[in-house]
Amino acid sequence: MARFALIVVRHGQTRLNKEKILQGQGVDEPLSETGIKQAAAAGIFLSNVKFTHVFSSDLTRTKQTVHGILEKNTFCQDMTVIYDSRLRERKYGVAEGRALSELRAMATAAGQECPVFTPPGGETLDQVKMRGIDFFEFLCQLILKEAAQKVALSSGTPSNGLETSLAEMFRLGKNSGSKFNSDSGAPELAASVLVVSHGAYMRSLFNYFLTDLKCSLPATLSESELLSVIPNTGISLFIINSEKEREVKATVQCVCMNLEEHLNGVTETC
C-alpha cells in the first residue's frame, strides 16, 4: 500500500473567465493580471509544501499557474513539471469561444440541462470522467511503484518530512474540518503530488471520488460543496490510500476543499 497527498489547484483567472466565455481546449487564453496575482498568492500559501511530483494540463493558463506556484516554493522552484493532456479542460466543441449563456441556450433548445448537454464536437461528461480515471489510476500506479522501489532499497528510511510540510495548511480555512493523519497507525506519506487543472475537469474528478470511490468528507463539508463551482486557484487536498491487487484499489479522504483564503489580499485588476 502507498499513502500520498494529492493537492489539486484550479488555474488562475483569465480575461475570458471574467467575461464568462467558454475556453475549453480550443481557446488557449493566458492568465489575466488578476490571474497572475492569484497564482502567486497560491504559491505563497503552498510555499512550504514539499512536492514530490508536479503535474499540469498543457494549456497556457495552467502552465502559467503552476509556474507561478512553484517560483514561490521554498523547496521545489527547479522541479520538473509533467504536462499531461489528460488534465485538460472539457472540450466544448462549437461552443468554445462563445458565451456561457449561448451554451445554456443550445442546451435548452436540445431539451437538456446545461451540465449534461454536449455541444457538437464536444466531450461528453463520461468522456471527461474517463480521462480523469485514467490519470488517477496512472498516478496511483506510479506512487505504488516508487514506494515499492524505496522499500526494496532501504528498510529503515528516515521520515521524509512530507506530513510536517503539509500540516500548517490543514489548519486553515472554514472547509478544512478533517484532521490530518488522525490515524496514528497510518504509514507516512510516500508522496506529495501537485496537480493544476481546470474547473469542469476537476468537478468531474471530484464527483468520481465521491460517487465511485466513496470519498470521506470533513464534517464541515457537504456533498453539494464538493461539486460546487471551483474558484480560480481554489485549492483542494485529498489523502489517497492506494493498493495493488489485480487492479489498483484506492480510498480517498477529502481533507479540505476549494480553499481560497490565500486570495483575501488579491485585488482584481480591471
Side-chain angles (χ1 to χ4, degrees), residues 6 8 132-133 136 200-210:
L6 175 62
V8 188
I133 293 173
F136 180 68
Y201 178 91
M202 289 167 62
R203 285 199 304 276
S204 175
L205 181 65
F206 296 168
N207 185 56
Y208 166 66
F209 287 171
L210 179 66

Side-chain angles (χ1 to χ4, degrees), residues 115-182:
V116 299
F117 171 69
T118 304
E123 284 183 294
T124 66
L125 290 180
D126 281 344
Q127 288 173 323
V128 179
K129 178 180 178 180
M130 291 311 299
R131 276 202 286 125
I133 293 173
D134 188 46
F135 174 79
F136 180 68
E137 291 184 345
F138 151 78
L139 183 60
C140 289
Q141 289 169 346
L142 174 66
I143 304 304
L144 278 166
K145 180 180 178 181
E146 292 181 350
Q149 290 172 341
K150 288 177 183 176
V151 169
L153 289 172
S154 174
S155 60
T157 305
S159 174
N160 54 25
L162 297 181
E163 300 202 18
T164 302
S165 77
L166 286 163
E168 192 68 29
M169 175 181 173
F170 294 151
R171 292 202 293 269
L172 301 177
K174 64 182 178 64
N175 288 339
S176 57
S178 178
K179 289 184 179 180
F180 177 63
N181 196 17
S182 57

Side-chain angles (χ1 to χ4, degrees), residues 6 40 46 53 75 89 92 102 112 131 138 166 170 188 199 206 225 227 234 241 248 253 258 264 268:
L6 175 62
L46 297 169
H53 306 73
F75 308 100
E89 180 60 294
Y92 287 98
E102 291 187 54
Q112 297 181 33
R131 276 202 286 125
F138 151 78
L166 286 163
F170 294 151
E188 73 170 24
F206 296 168
E225 286 180 291
L227 303 177
N241 286 284
V248 171
Q253 174 196 0
N258 295 341
N264 289 342
E268 188 159 323

Side-chain angles (χ1 to χ4, degrees), residues 14-29:
T14 69
R15 174 182 60 85
L16 298 183
N17 283 148
K18 187 174 181 180
E19 296 176 1
K20 297 188 182 334
I21 303 294
L22 291 166
Q23 295 163 99
Q25 299 182 14
V27 181
D28 201 15
E29 182 80 5

Side-chain angles (χ1 to χ4, degrees), residues 82 86 130 157 214:
I82 299 174
R86 289 174 293 186
M130 291 311 299
T157 305
K214 308 303 180 185

Side-chain angles (χ1 to χ4, degrees), residues 9 21 40 84 114 155 166 193-194 246 261:
V9 182
I21 303 294
D84 195 317
C114 190
S155 60
L166 286 163
V193 182
L194 172 65
R246 290 186 177 180
E261 280 81 356

Side-chain angles (χ1 to χ4, degrees), residues 218-230:
T220 56
L221 185 69
S222 67
E223 291 188 13
S224 61
E225 286 180 291
L226 183 66
L227 303 177
S228 64
V229 175
I230 298 167

